Amino acid sequence: MEFDLAHGEAVLERTPRVLRALLADLAPAWIDATEGPETWSPSVIAGHLIHAERADWIPRARIILAQGASRRFTPFDRLAQFRESQGKTLAELLEEFARLRAESLETLGGWRLSESQLALEGEHPAFGAVTLRQLLATWVAHDLGHVAQIARVMAKQYREAVGPWRAYLPILDR
Amino acid sequence: MEFDLAHGEAVLERTPRVLRALLADLAPAWIDATEGPETWSPSVIAGHLIHAERADWIPRARIILAQGASRRFTPFDRLAQFRESQGKTLAELLEEFARLRAESLETLGGWRLSESQLALEGEHPAFGAVTLRQLLATWVAHDLGHVAQIARVMAKQYREAVGPWRAYLPILDR
């Protein structure tokens, strides 16, 4: 499927509601659960999405749209949330994410991007030339990947509890 | 993590809202998308969850609780939704699922299950003795597995559109 701006925005605007529906008011046993050492809990993932909203999608899109002398993106800090989420409850993180996402979508919509703008390029620190269209498609797929991850982390908490049904639930061993 | 009835119910009651938040009013390009031949779209998955609500969880729990002469479960039809969902819109499926889930949770809550009831056994057609506790844990993990599947199916539609970012998005090749 080709990237379509309206289709992409429809997913992006849903993500804060999806996270709320999945996580709001759940017990710590769920929201702080992980898949083992060095893996992320639903709370950590919410913090990561907040950092991406601040440091990744819109800032990188601005670099591409400006077409300045340097179009190289600042490397993204995948661990920023361990610092930035300190002292915040999940309810606060979900609210912060919803607010930042709404702002991002307002900015994105305000640009009224043309096909030729979507084809403009920036420079990714690891793999070089990327287009604005690819960046926006990645934003959508990244949201969905983390929704799937949250559901998987939660499901895995019952890996033993399901007994022999484990054989029918591939998500428990992914 | 051990299965805990209140924790499990908290997830089960959220699933209809999660599906609505993810899917309501999305374009057919998303809700009818699949991972290829013989794989399921978000709409098909919604139909499958409806059939499980009717034919799996509560009916099997009743068989276990009755402790009758035969405690063998009726085999579950994994393809029933292709017949039962015909002519229904996704909005109708989401509403039907929410209604059935609410009824299931009312039934489950009304039983006020004790630890000894949770340890009662039924007979799964494929792998024999299973406990009510395992059945209920499976119900929760099954919900979460399908939420993850829906997000994955949607993400995969942008497998090519993300360009080189595909290397950073393992969900696109899962």
Side-chain angles (χ1 to χ4, degrees):
Chain A
M1 181 162 125
E2 295 282 307
F3 173 74
D4 175 282
L5 190 53
H7 285 176
E9 286 170 334
V11 172
L12 294 174
E13 75 179 28
R14 279 163 174 77
T15 306
R17 300 206 296 267
V18 173
L19 296 192
R20 271 205 187 112
L22 253 174
L23 299 174
D25 305 317
L26 273 187
W30 289 121
I31 64 176
D32 297 328
T34 69
E35 295 171 280
E38 309 289 310
T39 65
W40 294 1
S41 67
S43 284
V44 168
I45 294 165
H48 166 71
L49 290 169
I50 287 171
H51 186 67
E53 217 58 26
R54 286 223 172 81
D56 193 329
W57 316 114
I58 292 292
R60 288 181 170 189
R62 285 192 202 282
I63 289 171
I64 295 175
L65 288 169
Q67 289 291 295
S70 171
R71 300 164 192 176
R72 194 180 171 88
F73 306 149
T74 308
F76 184 77
D77 181 359
R78 288 183 70 259
L79 302 176
Q81 66 275 12
F82 290 102
R83 194 174 61 242
E84 294 176 357
S85 298
Q86 273 180 22
K88 294 178 186 167
T89 64
L90 178 68
E92 288 167 339
L93 294 174
L94 294 176
E95 195 181 310
E96 188 174 358
F97 176 58
R99 185 174 52 73
L100 291 169
R101 174 56 56 90
E103 289 172 14
S104 297
L105 288 173
E106 202 174 318
T107 301
L108 179 65
W111 286 334
R112 301 183 177 281
L113 295 170
S114 65
E115 288 299 308
S116 59
Q117 283 176 305
L118 287 169
L120 292 173
E121 291 183 349
E123 188 193 341
H124 188 280
F127 34 70
V130 287
T131 65
L132 178 56
R133 184 189 301 277
Q134 288 168 340
L135 175 71
L136 299 179
T138 301
W139 189 0
V140 174
H142 179 267
D143 266 27
L144 292 165
H146 284 299
V147 169
Q149 181 187 14
I150 288 171
R152 185 185 72 227
V153 171
M154 292 172 67
K156 279 190 182 175
Q157 308 312 308
Y158 281 170
R159 181 151 55 185
E160 308 300 331
V162 301
W165 266 291
R166 184 166 167 179
Y168 284 11
L169 295 164
I171 194 170
L172 301 183
D173 292 287
R174 193 161 279 147
Chain B
M1 182 164 125
E2 296 281 308
F3 173 73
D4 175 282
L5 191 53
H7 285 175
E9 286 170 333
V11 173
L12 294 173
E13 76 178 27
R14 278 163 175 76
T15 306
R17 300 206 296 267
V18 172
L19 296 192
R20 273 206 185 111
L22 253 175
L23 300 174
D25 305 317
L26 274 187
W30 289 121
I31 64 176
D32 297 328
T34 68
E35 296 171 280
E38 308 290 309
T39 64
W40 295 1
S41 67
S43 285
V44 168
I45 295 165
H48 166 71
L49 290 170
I50 287 171
H51 186 67
E53 217 58 25
R54 286 222 172 81
D56 193 329
W57 316 114
I58 291 291
R60 288 181 170 189
R62 284 192 202 282
I63 289 171
I64 295 175
L65 288 170
Q67 290 291 296
S70 170
R71 300 163 194 177
R72 193 180 173 87
F73 306 149
T74 307
F76 183 77
D77 181 359
R78 288 183 69 259
L79 303 176
Q81 66 275 14
F82 290 102
R83 194 173 62 242
E84 294 176 358
S85 298
Q86 272 180 22
K88 295 179 186 167
T89 64
L90 178 68
E92 289 167 338
L93 294 175
L94 294 176
E95 195 181 311
E96 188 174 356
F97 176 58
R99 183 174 52 74
L100 291 169
R101 174 56 56 91
E103 289 172 14
S104 297
L105 288 173
E106 201 176 318
T107 301
L108 180 64
W111 286 335
R112 302 182 176 279
L113 294 170
S114 65
E115 288 299 308
S116 59
Q117 283 176 304
L118 287 169
L120 291 173
E121 291 183 350
E123 188 192 342
H124 188 280
F127 34 69
V130 287
T131 65
L132 178 55
R133 184 189 299 278
Q134 288 168 339
L135 174 71
L136 299 179
T138 301
W139 190 1
V140 174
H142 179 266
D143 266 26
L144 293 166
H146 284 298
V147 168
Q149 181 188 16
I150 289 171
R152 185 185 72 226
V153 171
M154 292 172 67
K156 280 190 180 174
Q157 307 313 307
Y158 281 170
R159 181 153 54 185
E160 307 301 330
V162 301
W165 267 289
R166 183 165 169 180
Y168 284 10
L169 296 164
I171 195 170
L172 301 185
D173 291 288
R174 195 161 278 148

